[in-house]
Each structure stands twice: as structure tokens, then as C-alpha cells.
Amino acid sequence: MLGDFGDRSRGLGLSSRPDFALVGLLRIPEIQTSPWVSLIRRVLFAIGLLFTAALVVFLGREGYHDDAGDDISFLDALYYATVSLSTTGYGDIAPVSAEARLANIVIITPLRILFLIVLVGTTIGVLTERSRQAFKIQRWRHSVRNHTVVVGYGTKGRTAIQAMIADGVQPADIVVVDTDAVALDAAGNAGLVTVHGSATQSDVLRLASVQNAASVVVATNRDDTAVLVTLTARELNKAATIVVAIREAENTHLLRQSGADSVVVSSETAGRLLGIATTTPTVVEIMEDLLTPEQGFAVAERDVEQSEIGGSPRHLSDIVLGVVRGGDLIRVGEPEVDAIEAGDKLLYIRRAAK
């Protein structure tokens, strides 16, 4: 998923490039409109302009001259509007009165301009798309703060994002970094900001604004890559919460030393659940429930209330699992948490909102 260590030098200078040079690397999601809907709207608008011009000519038909000497019919007016708006202008029907010429100046000419804009709108859109994307990138880079950067949009990364969104995080506050263009397309379609590149390169992470992020989720396919990404992310942001998923438990200490705040051993966790399921499958259901914020129960964290200070967490109405004190988790039952102190945080089970 992520590039080799030797590719680090190729991304140097990304964060210092002008915004227009980042189009394609950094993608900001937007509401998509069907091309057929857009085309039909343009065609209908063009037809409306054409008939409006024909009506203006027909109402002022006394001021127009036909080389054939016939009276101006609505078909003649439509023909004149067509050749005028398309700037063909054969000249066989021409305004001769002052009123007709004034109508051409005030009405027909603006309609001609609008008609041409509609006809070449698609071309103009293509030419201006890059500038528009560059402007969106510039605005995003100046405003993004306290977001979450997810490295890797495989099964783990995608599931982590789904859990965050279910817990109330807005898709616009999540940035996905990956080298797989197909995965990034899927992330973009889900409304996520995407960065194409290897997260082992500090400049790619800067492009994802890791230095301003509140948290980083590392969900790569290789443990050695996860170590390097964690080192790079921690170097750029000393305060962000970094959560890493790895395959082998023996690499946990490397991730801790690299700056990870939390390490999830995916293979061992899945193995334990499989073992438990052989004897008590309902326990697995409860665990799945706790890990699914949008339904049933969920594990959450909150600040202690003033009235709770000095009391025991076991006597609260909430089911408290542990107390976070000074950044360390102390499980309920330990003598250190017989009395709740000011500044503690409670890790408890809450009922998920319906």
C-alpha cells in the first residue's frame, strides 16, 4: 500500500509547492452532479434563450426586412434568432427600423453572449476546473485544524473511519493518505479529503496537515511501514494522538518508542474473539455491540462532575470501567481510584443514541 523507504526523496517539496501544482495529489470532496443532468440543463437554457430572442424579433417584426419581400413569420423570427445567436448572420433578414436595431443592441446581443457561453460552457468548465480546485485546496489548507489523518484506506482504515463517523465525526474532518488511486477514489466518493502519496514521506504528511491534526490513525498493511509512519507523524506533531494497528504483538514496543499512544494488535485481537466465541459466543456479540457506537451500548469517556469528586466510581449510575488520571488508565477496583479526584476522566458504558 505504501511506498518503499527509498521513495522518500521523491516527495520532497510537496508542501511548499503552489496550490495549483497540488491538483490531483490533494483532492477536496464536493457534491457531484450527473453529467447528463448538467447537459440537459444547458440545452434547455440554450433553447430558452433562442425562443426568447425569436419572440423579441417576432413582436418587433415590422422593423425587420426580408430580402424575399415576405412578411416576417414566427418561423422567420426563429430563423433570424438562430443565425444571430450563433453569429452566422446571413443577412437575408435584417433590422431596418430604429426600434428593431435598438432591440438588437439591448436584447439580442446580450442573448447572443449568453447563448455562446452556454454552448462553450463545458469547454470553459474544463479549462477552469484546475483553477477552481487550486482555490479549494488553498482555502482548505488555510482552514484545516484539529482533524484526523488516516493513513491507509484498506479494510482497517475504512472501518475505523466508519466508526468515527458513527460516533459523530464529520467526513470533512477526516483526511485519507494512501498510494492506491482506486482506494482514494472510494474515499473521495465517501466525502473525505484525500492525499495521494506515501505517508512515510514527511512532506506528504505535511500536505495532509498532520502538523495541525488532533489525531492520526495508522492502518497500513506492514508493521515496519507503520513504525516509520508513526515516527514521521510524531516528529511533525508532538501533541496529536497517534493510534496504530499492527499484525504482530512483538512490534508493540517499537510503536510505543516511535511515539504511538495506542497500539492495536489486529491479529491477536481477532484470535482472542475467535477463541471466546467457541465457548461463549454471546460475549463476542457484546464486544461487537460496544465497538459499534451507533447502536446498543458504546464505550465512552467523560469528565467527572463536581458532585462526583471524592466518591467511588463503583457507586455512580454509569457503569464505569476505569479512571483516566494524568493520562494513565486505572481500572475500577484498584485502590488508587477508590475516590474520584478533580481532573479525572471516567471511561464508562453509555447507551448509544438512536
Side-chain angles (χ1 to χ4, degrees), residues 24-88:
L25 294 175
L26 177 60
R27 292 173 51 189
I28 313 298
E30 59 183 310
I31 299 176
Q32 299 293 330
T33 303
S34 168
W36 289 106
V37 173
S38 179
L39 179 61
I40 291 173
R41 286 177 179 172
R42 290 174 184 270
V43 170
L44 292 177
F45 186 58
I47 292 174
L49 290 175
L50 184 63
F51 273 87
T52 299
L55 183 61
V56 170
V57 173
F58 182 71
L59 293 176
R61 57 187 177 278
E62 298 299 330
Y64 289 82
H65 171 73
D66 185 354
D67 285 349
D70 299 328
D71 293 334
I72 302 296
S73 65
F74 186 78
L75 180 61
D76 293 330
L78 187 60
Y79 164 76
Y80 174 78
T82 301
V83 297
S84 295
L85 294 187
S86 63
T87 68
T88 306

Side-chain angles (χ1 to χ4, degrees), residues 2 16 45 63 120 162 227 243 262 338:
L2 295 172
S16 60
F45 186 58
V120 300
Q162 291 171 353
V227 171
V243 183
S262 181
D338 282 344

Side-chain angles (χ1 to χ4, degrees), residues 245-327:
I246 58 175
R247 294 176 178 270
E248 304 297 335
E250 63 185 21
N251 295 321
T252 300
H253 72 285
L254 293 177
L255 271 302
R256 293 287 188 184
Q257 292 175 1
S258 301
D261 296 288
S262 181
V263 180
V264 178
V265 184
S266 56
S267 57
E268 288 198 359
T269 301
R272 291 192 187 98
L273 291 177
L274 288 173
I276 293 172
T278 60
T279 54
T280 52
T282 51
V283 173
V284 179
E285 293 183 20
I286 287 294
M287 294 301 297
E288 286 287 341
D289 191 342
L290 292 174
L291 294 174
T292 309
E294 67 269 20
Q295 61 185 6
F297 294 95
V299 179
E301 184 182 89
R302 69 172 177 84
D303 295 326
V304 297
E305 299 177 1
Q306 187 67 30
S307 60
E308 297 171 339
I309 297 176
S312 171
R314 289 174 290 184
H315 298 157
L316 300 178
S317 58
D318 293 324
I319 301 176
V320 180
L321 302 176
V323 175
V324 180
R325 179 174 296 166

Side-chain angles (χ1 to χ4, degrees), residues 116-136:
L116 291 175
I117 289 175
V118 171
L119 289 182
V120 300
T122 302
T123 303
I124 293 176
V126 171
L127 294 176
T128 59
E129 176 65 18
R130 196 171 183 87
S131 297
R132 190 169 64 87
Q133 284 291 332
F135 175 74
K136 289 175 62 179

Side-chain angles (χ1 to χ4, degrees), residues 87-88 90 108 115 136 151 153 203 231-232 244 257 277 297:
T87 68
T88 306
Y90 294 116
I108 301 298
F115 189 78
K136 289 175 62 179
V151 179
Y153 197 68
D203 227 42
L231 279 169
T232 308
V244 187
Q257 292 175 1
F297 294 95

